[in-house]
Amino acid sequence: MIKFLANNSHVIEKALIIILVTLFSAFFIFAIFNQAPHSNELQVLTLTQLDKTGVTNIVTAVLLNYRAYDTFIEFAVFLVVAIAVLPYIIDTPVLTFTLQEESQVLLIAKIFIPLTIIMAGYLLWIGSTKPGGAFQASALLAGCLVLLSLANVQVINFTQLRYRLLMSSGLIAFIAVILLLYLQSHSFLTFPVELAGASILVIEFFATFAIALILFLCFESINKGHA
Amino acid sequence: MKRVAMILKVEVNLINNFITIFSIPTLMILPMVIAIICFVAGNTRLSRLISVISSITLVVICALQAGYVLQQAAPIELIIGGWQPPLGIRLSINEFSAIMLLMTSTIGLAITFYSTQYFDDDEKEIRFWPLWWFLITALNGVFISSDIFNTYIMLELLGLSAVSLIAIQGTQQALQASFQYLLVGLFGSLMYLLGVAIIYRTYGVLDNQLVANLVESNTSMQLALALITLGMMMKCALFPLHFWLPSAHSNASAPVSAMLSALVVKAAFFILFTFWFKILAPVVTFTAVTIMGIFGAMAVIYGSYRAFTSPRLKQLIAYSTVAQIGYLFLAFPLMFTTPDLARTAVIYFIVAHGCAKAAMFLAAGVIQKAMGHDQLSQLQGIASQLPISIFVFAVTSASLIGLPPSGGFIAKWLLLNNAVEAQQWWWVLTLFIGGLLASAYLFRVLNLAFTTPTQENSLTVLAISESKLLGAVGLSIITIIIGLNAMWLTNLITGSY
């Protein structure tokens, strides 16, 4: 009996896991459907207050005004990731800026990068009215950097002061806005209606670069790890 | 005379104003600004200087807040951005969180001071400071948050900065331990998030108070509580899910171990406690709390046993944390019958254990540095070489065992008293066995420290300054003071409910 168990331990383990996961899922589905969802009063509330937020897109309003505090901490999370990953970049030597032979990737990069940068700028700008904003724009910018990196063009030396500054710029801009608004309104993270749109744009502008750089840093840490 | 009184009044008003309007955001923004400066400047000297200064500032702010909250017996609240709760986020500091914040800042100051002299490798230290300050930001954030989703984001910040802090040690074991910790932390956070999602789906609100007002006992809330409990049990390493803690806490550098054991696991416990007895209180049943109590009791016995058999000093202390976390869960079944007493006991225990464990890890760090290792078998006779470290170790041991007049004694006495009052005497047995086992494993170390080494393995101790232990000595004195002034503290805590 014991021998049988020992020989088939993998199968038994898998079977147990499958049984447990199935039971859990069944209970989960039962519990979820047992209870009616809420009546979404919050969305109505979000819409009625929208004209006081300085933006007209509901998602941007939630992210950078109603629950701006969450986004603020989220920027800090990004920076922590950057600090954690950074040492693994420093250890590897940085190639100098060399345009080697015309590879296909470089060709693609030359065509797409200018377009993508314009696209990123557009996404950032329309964030206040339509779906878009800092996160989407920074993903595009990071894509440009990744394309350059694949074409063997090294443009960023992460150890330099200015890149450290740029990576923290999203958070720095956010803190600066918070402190300036504090002087004006004596309350934490309150955007006055007339300044809200501009403040949000400033934060998003810097956050775009910061997040793009951090995303690229994460890519590079894996990329260099393999090389 | 009148004028003096008037000036005093104005000043009191100013301080009150500061506390109610400015102090809560300062708790978040100050450490974050320091973190950014440390990161961008990348200069160890500057980092040390501003770190010590801002740690002291934080202690002052937290002391003012705690004084205000305990005196007024009303929480400090802040509605962010002027958006009332279902729409916006509310922050609040109640008695429990005020004491946790004060403890965070005090232990933080002791460890910050220690860290200014701990690292002998500049590169490690440059990485350490920004992450350290983000960790403090996250801890403050967890304690002041009054919104279940915001708590999740704080947990994320807390988990990631803690993982990175373990990883800067750079050794193979540390990297492995931090990776395991990362996976455990992610699992824990995701379970928590799933629980939050279920609560939001059912009631459509995220504010602690609003959820608490709406919640009733039904299957989906039971599921939410189970998921959140699973996630937080993982993060605070309660017995069956403690497997990651010993390697993570024993392989990190001493200041990081101290912070992880003293505060980071307590943050997860704080969240769990808030959910069980405040937010989802109607869902909690007697069976559930008893199960948690049994897990706690098992943790006490298992953790103590493993501590007794560990070959390394830091591993011993890490297993002792597993055991001490168990005591906190013994209060769960007691919360059901005598909530006020049990809450006091829990807060008291957290403070006593936090201070003692932080100081103990700091002392162990000095011992490890001086010896070049922390194998218990070769620690004979270190008492003569490292008197302050052993002094700190001995005093904090007394507190962990629960010998009078330490804070640990009072904490255990409160639990014991409480268990008798709640007519659940069987928990007392665990307290006794745990105390005996704790004395067994801690005296094992002290016994070795005071024996004269035999000729063949005479001590080779590096000349190392013990002056960095100033903060640790301070913490061990605090454990004694809270033991001697027990009535004052317990009255303060219970009086404010």
Side-chain angles (χ1 to χ4, degrees), chain A residues 34 38 67 70 164 182 188, chain B residues 25 40 147 150 200-201 219:
Chain A
N34 205 8
H38 63 92
R67 295 186 71 92
D70 282 346
R164 287 206 301 265
Y182 230 122
F188 185 43
Chain B
V40 173
D147 182 283
N150 184 250
Y200 182 70
R201 179 188 179 274
T219 345

Side-chain angles (χ1 to χ4, degrees), chain B residues 53-134:
Chain B
I53 294 173
S54 48
S55 300
I56 295 171
T57 318
L58 277 181
V59 172
V60 173
I61 293 173
C62 290
L64 284 176
Q65 280 175 336
Y68 183 87
V69 170
L70 295 175
Q71 191 201 7
Q72 307 270 323
I76 311 174
E77 293 211 336
L78 182 76
I79 310 264
I80 295 177
W83 304 110
Q84 283 296 328
L87 202 54
I89 298 170
R90 192 169 55 92
L91 302 178
S92 82
I93 300 183
N94 58 21
E95 298 77 15
F96 194 176
S97 42
I99 291 172
M100 294 300 281
L101 285 168
L102 184 58
M103 187 176 98
T104 308
S105 58
T106 315
I107 295 178
L109 174 64
I111 303 178
T112 302
F113 179 73
Y114 180 88
S115 317
T116 55
Q117 299 171 43
Y118 175 79
F119 293 95
D120 32 32
D121 179 359
D122 259 11
E123 204 185 316
K124 266 186 204 169
E125 191 170 349
I126 287 174
R127 287 184 221 165
F128 170 81
W129 287 114
L131 292 169
W132 171 250
W133 281 103
F134 275 122

Side-chain angles (χ1 to χ4, degrees), chain A residues 24 27-28 30-38 40 42 45-46 49 52-53 65-74 76-77 79-84 86-88 90-91 161 164-165 167-168 171-172 175 178-179 182 186-191, chain B residues 21-22 25 28-29 32-33 36 39-42 78-83 86-89 91 123 127 130-131 134 137 141 144 147 149-150 153-154 156-157 160-161 164 167 175 194 198 200-206 216 218-220 222-223 227:
Chain A
F24 175 77
F27 179 67
F28 190 89
F30 167 74
I32 293 287
F33 282 98
N34 205 8
Q35 204 68 36
H38 63 92
N40 222 345
L42 204 51
L45 201 61
T46 328
Q49 305 280 328
K52 291 181 197 153
T53 60
N65 204 331
Y66 299 134
R67 295 186 71 92
Y69 181 59
D70 282 346
T71 313
F72 176 49
I73 305 300
E74 206 56 72
V77 173
L79 192 57
V80 166
V81 171
I83 299 170
L86 204 53
Y88 303 98
I90 293 171
D91 296 340
L161 174 71
R164 287 206 301 265
L165 203 58
M167 275 190 277
S168 357
L171 206 52
I172 293 175
I175 292 176
I178 288 175
L179 293 179
Y182 230 122
H186 283 260
S187 73
F188 185 43
L189 260 173
T190 307
F191 298 105
Chain B
I21 300 175
F22 294 102
M28 297 304 292
I29 291 181
M32 218 183 258
V33 169
I36 294 172
F39 172 60
V40 173
L78 182 76
I79 310 264
I80 295 177
W83 304 110
L87 202 54
I89 298 170
L91 302 178
E123 204 185 316
R127 287 184 221 165
L131 292 169
F134 275 122
T137 314
I144 63 179
D147 182 283
F149 182 73
N150 184 250
I153 294 191
M154 294 303 171
E156 222 177 313
L157 187 62
L160 284 172
S161 46
S164 323
L175 287 177
L194 196 53
I198 293 171
Y200 182 70
R201 179 188 179 274
T202 315
Y203 298 113
V205 287
L206 290 168
E216 50 205 16
N218 54 43
T219 345
S220 60
Q222 280 160 5
L223 180 67
L227 288 168

